[in-house]
Coordinates of all heavy atoms in Angstrom, one line a residue:
I22 N 26.4 20.0 27.9 CA 25.5 20.3 29.0 C 25.0 19.1 29.7 O 24.5 19.2 30.8 CB 24.3 21.2 28.6 CG1 23.4 20.5 27.6 CG2 24.8 22.5 28.0 CD1 22.2 21.2 27.2
S23 N 25.2 17.9 29.1 CA 24.8 16.7 29.7 C 25.9 16.0 30.5 O 25.6 15.2 31.4 CB 24.4 15.7 28.6 OG 23.3 16.2 27.9
T24 N 27.2 16.3 30.3 CA 28.2 15.6 30.9 C 29.2 16.5 31.8 O 29.8 16.0 32.7 CB 29.1 14.9 29.9 OG1 29.6 15.8 28.9 CG2 28.2 13.8 29.2
H25 N 29.3 17.8 31.4 CA 30.2 18.6 32.2 C 29.7 18.9 33.6 O 28.4 18.9 33.7 CB 30.4 20.0 31.4 CG 31.5 20.8 32.0 ND1 31.3 21.7 33.1 CD2 32.8 20.9 31.6 CE1 32.4 22.3 33.3 NE2 33.4 21.9 32.5
P26 N 30.5 19.0 34.6 CA 30.0 19.3 35.9 C 29.1 20.5 36.0 O 28.1 20.5 36.8 CB 31.3 19.6 36.7 CG 32.4 18.8 36.0 CD 32.0 18.8 34.6
Y27 N 29.3 21.5 35.2 CA 28.4 22.7 35.1 C 27.0 22.2 34.7 O 26.0 22.6 35.3 CB 28.9 23.8 34.2 CG 30.0 24.6 34.7 CD1 30.6 24.4 35.9 CD2 30.5 25.6 33.8 CE1 31.6 25.2 36.3 CE2 31.6 26.4 34.3 CZ 32.1 26.2 35.5 OH 33.2 27.0 35.9
G28 N 27.0 21.4 33.7 CA 25.7 20.9 33.2 C 25.0 20.0 34.1 O 23.8 20.1 34.3
I29 N 25.7 19.1 34.8 CA 25.1 18.2 35.7 C 24.6 19.0 36.9 O 23.4 18.7 37.4 CB 26.2 17.2 36.2 CG1 26.6 16.3 35.0 CG2 25.6 16.4 37.4 CD1 27.7 15.4 35.3
K30 N 25.3 20.0 37.4 CA 24.8 20.8 38.5 C 23.5 21.5 38.1 O 22.6 21.7 38.9 CB 25.9 21.8 38.9 CG 25.5 22.6 40.2 CD 26.7 23.4 40.7 CE 26.3 24.1 42.0 NZ 27.4 25.0 42.5
E31 N 23.5 22.0 36.9 CA 22.3 22.8 36.4 C 21.1 21.8 36.3 O 20.0 22.1 36.6 CB 22.6 23.5 35.1 CG 21.5 24.5 34.7 CD 21.5 25.7 35.5 OE1 22.1 25.8 36.6 OE2 20.8 26.7 35.0
M32 N 21.4 20.6 35.8 CA 20.3 19.6 35.6 C 19.7 19.3 37.0 O 18.5 19.1 37.1 CB 20.9 18.3 35.1 CG 19.9 17.2 35.0 SD 20.8 15.6 34.7 CE 21.5 15.3 36.3
E33 N 20.5 19.3 38.0 CA 20.0 19.0 39.4 C 19.4 20.1 40.1 O 18.9 20.0 41.3 CB 21.2 18.4 40.2 CG 21.7 17.0 39.6 CD 22.9 16.5 40.3 OE1 23.6 17.3 41.1 OE2 23.3 15.4 40.1
A34 N 19.4 21.3 39.5 CA 18.8 22.5 40.2 C 17.4 22.3 40.5 O 16.6 21.6 39.7 CB 19.0 23.7 39.3
T35 N 16.9 22.8 41.6 CA 15.5 22.5 42.1 C 14.5 23.5 41.8 O 13.4 23.5 42.2 CB 15.5 22.2 43.6 OG1 16.0 23.4 44.3 CG2 16.4 21.0 44.0
N36 N 14.9 24.5 41.0 CA 14.0 25.6 40.6 C 14.0 25.8 39.1 O 14.2 24.8 38.4 CB 14.4 26.9 41.3 CG 15.8 27.4 40.9 OD1 16.5 26.7 40.1 ND2 16.3 28.5 41.5
N37 N 13.7 27.0 38.6 CA 13.6 27.3 37.2 C 14.8 26.9 36.4 O 14.7 26.6 35.2 CB 13.2 28.7 36.9 CG 14.3 29.7 37.4 OD1 15.2 30.0 36.7 ND2 14.1 30.3 38.5
H38 N 16.0 26.9 37.1 CA 17.2 26.5 36.3 C 17.2 25.1 35.9 O 17.6 24.7 34.8 CB 18.5 26.8 37.2 CG 18.9 28.2 37.2 ND1 19.8 28.7 36.3 CD2 18.5 29.3 38.0 CE1 20.0 30.0 36.5 NE2 19.2 30.4 37.5
G39 N 16.7 24.2 36.7 CA 16.5 22.8 36.4 C 15.5 22.6 35.2 O 15.7 21.8 34.3
T40 N 14.4 23.4 35.3 CA 13.4 23.3 34.3 C 14.0 23.8 32.9 O 13.8 23.2 31.9 CB 12.2 24.2 34.6 OG1 11.8 24.0 36.0 CG2 11.0 23.9 33.7
C41 N 14.8 24.9 33.0 CA 15.3 25.4 31.7 C 16.4 24.5 31.2 O 16.6 24.5 30.0 CB 15.9 26.8 32.0 SG 14.5 28.1 32.2
W42 N 17.1 23.8 32.0 CA 18.1 22.8 31.5 C 17.4 21.8 30.7 O 17.8 21.4 29.6 CB 18.9 22.2 32.7 CG 19.9 21.2 32.2 CD1 21.2 21.3 31.9 CD2 19.6 19.8 31.9 NE1 21.7 20.2 31.5 CE2 20.8 19.2 31.5 CE3 18.5 19.0 32.1 CZ2 20.9 17.8 31.1 CZ3 18.6 17.6 31.7 CH2 19.8 17.1 31.3
A43 N 16.3 21.3 31.3 CA 15.5 20.2 30.6 C 14.9 20.8 29.3 O 14.8 20.1 28.3 CB 14.5 19.6 31.5
M44 N 14.4 22.0 29.3 CA 13.8 22.6 28.2 C 14.8 22.7 27.0 O 14.5 22.3 25.9 CB 13.2 24.0 28.5 CG 12.6 24.8 27.4 SD 11.9 26.3 27.9 CE 13.4 27.2 28.5
Q45 N 16.0 23.1 27.3 CA 17.0 23.2 26.3 C 17.4 21.8 25.8 O 17.5 21.6 24.6 CB 18.2 23.9 26.9 CG 18.0 25.4 27.2 CD 19.3 26.0 27.6 OE1 20.2 26.3 26.8 NE2 19.5 26.3 28.9
T46 N 17.7 21.0 26.8 CA 18.2 19.6 26.4 C 17.2 18.9 25.5 O 17.5 18.3 24.5 CB 18.4 18.8 27.7 OG1 19.5 19.4 28.5 CG2 18.9 17.4 27.4
A47 N 15.9 19.1 25.9 CA 14.9 18.4 25.1 C 14.8 19.0 23.6 O 14.8 18.2 22.7 CB 13.5 18.6 25.7
M48 N 15.0 20.3 23.5 CA 14.9 20.9 22.1 C 16.1 20.5 21.3 O 16.0 20.2 20.2 CB 14.8 22.4 22.3 CG 14.6 23.1 20.9 SD 13.0 22.8 20.2 CE 13.4 21.9 18.8
F49 N 17.3 20.6 21.9 CA 18.5 20.3 21.2 C 18.6 18.8 20.9 O 19.1 18.4 19.8 CB 19.8 20.7 22.0 CG 19.7 22.2 22.4 CD1 20.4 22.6 23.5 CD2 19.0 23.1 21.7 CE1 20.4 24.0 23.9 CE2 19.0 24.4 22.0 CZ 19.7 24.9 23.1
A50 N 18.0 17.9 21.8 CA 18.0 16.5 21.5 C 17.0 16.2 20.4 O 17.3 15.4 19.5 CB 17.6 15.8 22.8
K51 N 15.9 16.9 20.3 CA 14.9 16.8 19.2 C 15.6 17.1 17.9 O 15.4 16.4 16.9 CB 13.7 17.6 19.5 CG 12.6 17.4 18.5 CD 11.3 18.1 19.0 CE 10.1 17.8 18.1 NZ 8.9 18.5 18.5
F52 N 16.3 18.2 17.9 CA 16.9 18.7 16.7 C 18.0 17.7 16.2 O 18.2 17.6 15.0 CB 17.5 20.1 16.9 CG 18.2 20.7 15.7 CD1 17.5 20.9 14.5 CD2 19.6 21.0 15.8 CE1 18.1 21.5 13.4 CE2 20.2 21.6 14.7 CZ 19.5 21.8 13.5
T53 N 18.7 17.1 17.1 CA 19.8 16.2 16.7 C 19.4 14.7 16.7 O 20.2 13.9 16.4 CB 21.0 16.4 17.7 OG1 20.5 16.1 19.0 CG2 21.6 17.8 17.6
G54 N 18.1 14.5 17.0 CA 17.6 13.1 16.9 C 18.1 12.2 18.1 O 18.1 11.0 18.0
N55 N 18.3 12.8 19.2 CA 18.8 12.1 20.4 C 17.6 11.7 21.3 O 17.2 12.4 22.2 CB 19.8 12.9 21.2 CG 20.5 12.1 22.3 OD1 19.9 11.2 22.9 ND2 21.8 12.5 22.5
K56 N 17.0 10.5 20.9 CA 15.8 10.1 21.6 C 16.0 9.8 23.1 O 15.1 9.9 23.9 CB 15.2 8.9 20.9 CG 14.7 9.3 19.5 CD 14.0 8.1 18.8 CE 13.5 8.5 17.4 NZ 12.9 7.3 16.7
E57 N 17.2 9.3 23.4 CA 17.5 8.9 24.8 C 17.4 10.2 25.7 O 16.9 10.1 26.8 CB 18.9 8.3 24.9 CG 19.3 7.9 26.3 CD 20.7 7.4 26.3 OE1 21.3 7.2 25.3 OE2 21.2 7.1 27.5

């Protein structure tokens, strides 16, 4: 979701889709220890 074109497009969404991309990314990064 961080590198595929689908993920990049969702990351750049200007509404709730962008918020939800970040919400998921943050949680999955926390679980896997990805501080970056």
Side-chain angles (χ1 to χ4, degrees):
I22 64 173
S23 300
T24 59
H25 190 275
Y27 283 0
I29 294 171
K30 187 173 182 180
E31 190 73 344
M32 176 194 72
E33 295 173 346
T35 58
N36 62 359
N37 65 80
H38 279 268
T40 316
C41 286
W42 178 91
M44 176 176 63
Q45 292 186 72
T46 298
M48 186 69 248
F49 305 154
K51 187 174 185 177
F52 180 60
T53 57
N55 191 325
K56 293 183 179 180
E57 180 182 353

